[in-house]
Amino acid sequence: MKIIDKLAWIEIKDGKILSTKSFGKEKYYIPGGKREAGESDIEALTREISEELQVQLIPSSIYYMGTFEAQADSHPEGTLVKMTCYTAEYTGELKASSEIEWVEWLNYADLERVSAVDKIIFKQLKEQGDLH
């Protein structure tokens, strides 16, 4: 079994979660990405968010939310994505950058528009009353 190790930033506002769609992809994904060699979770997450959304996460506000696993979209069966999620405050204005085509605030009704691992996260956030 292959595992794709990813980090994600959970940003919720008014019962909606920040999601992104990359060029050439069908599904929306919670923003984040893979770590580079030697990076900690925090280093990788802050770099990825800066590259993708042009905002700076405030390191002292970064808080572990949970780790979730599911079949990776557009990968062979048995390839899992492991998403380690954090919340954090940020500075700057959210703007699509790098490989990001769209930035959108999604709610629970958008469940079918997101990846398998994001669906698990959406369901937990809905149960907690954070996602409408």
Side-chain angles (χ1 to χ4, degrees), residues 3-4 6-7 9-10 13 16 19 33 60 67-68 71 76 114 116-117 120 122 124 127 129 132:
I3 295 180
I4 300 168
K6 295 185 87 177
L7 302 159
W9 176 41
I10 306 293
K13 182 166 46 173
K16 295 183 177 185
S19 295
S60 62
T67 302
F68 306 87
Q71 171 64 38
V114 303
V117 72
I120 295 168
F122 272 46
Q124 177 172 318
E127 288 171 12
H132 298 237

Side-chain angles (χ1 to χ4, degrees), residues 36-109:
E36 293 178 356
E39 281 185 318
S40 69
D41 282 11
I42 304 308
E43 291 167 336
L45 186 64
T46 55
R47 177 187 50 75
E48 284 286 345
I49 298 306
S50 177
E51 289 173 1
E52 294 181 357
L53 298 171
Q54 298 186 12
V55 297
Q56 300 303 312
L57 298 183
I58 300 169
S60 62
S61 73
I62 297 173
Y63 179 79
Y64 173 75
M65 194 209 120
T67 302
F68 306 87
E69 288 186 5
Q71 171 64 38
D73 287 334
S74 66
H75 287 271
E77 188 66 32
T79 302
L80 297 180
V81 62
K82 178 179 93 171
M83 188 92 77
T84 304
C85 299
Y86 294 86
T87 60
E89 295 174 20
Y90 68 95
T91 60
E93 184 179 332
L94 294 166
K95 292 181 200 164
S97 184
S98 188
E99 74 268 17
I100 304 301
E101 181 178 16
W102 296 104
V103 176
E104 194 166 334
W105 293 91
L106 302 180
N107 61 32
Y108 192 74

Side-chain angles (χ1 to χ4, degrees), residues 1 3 6 17 19 21-22 27 31 48 74 92 111 118-119 124 132:
M1 180 178 307
I3 295 180
K6 295 185 87 177
I17 186 169
S19 295
K21 188 168 105 37
S22 297
K27 300 279 186 183
E48 284 286 345
S74 66
L111 192 64
D118 286 12
K119 285 180 182 179
Q124 177 172 318
H132 298 237

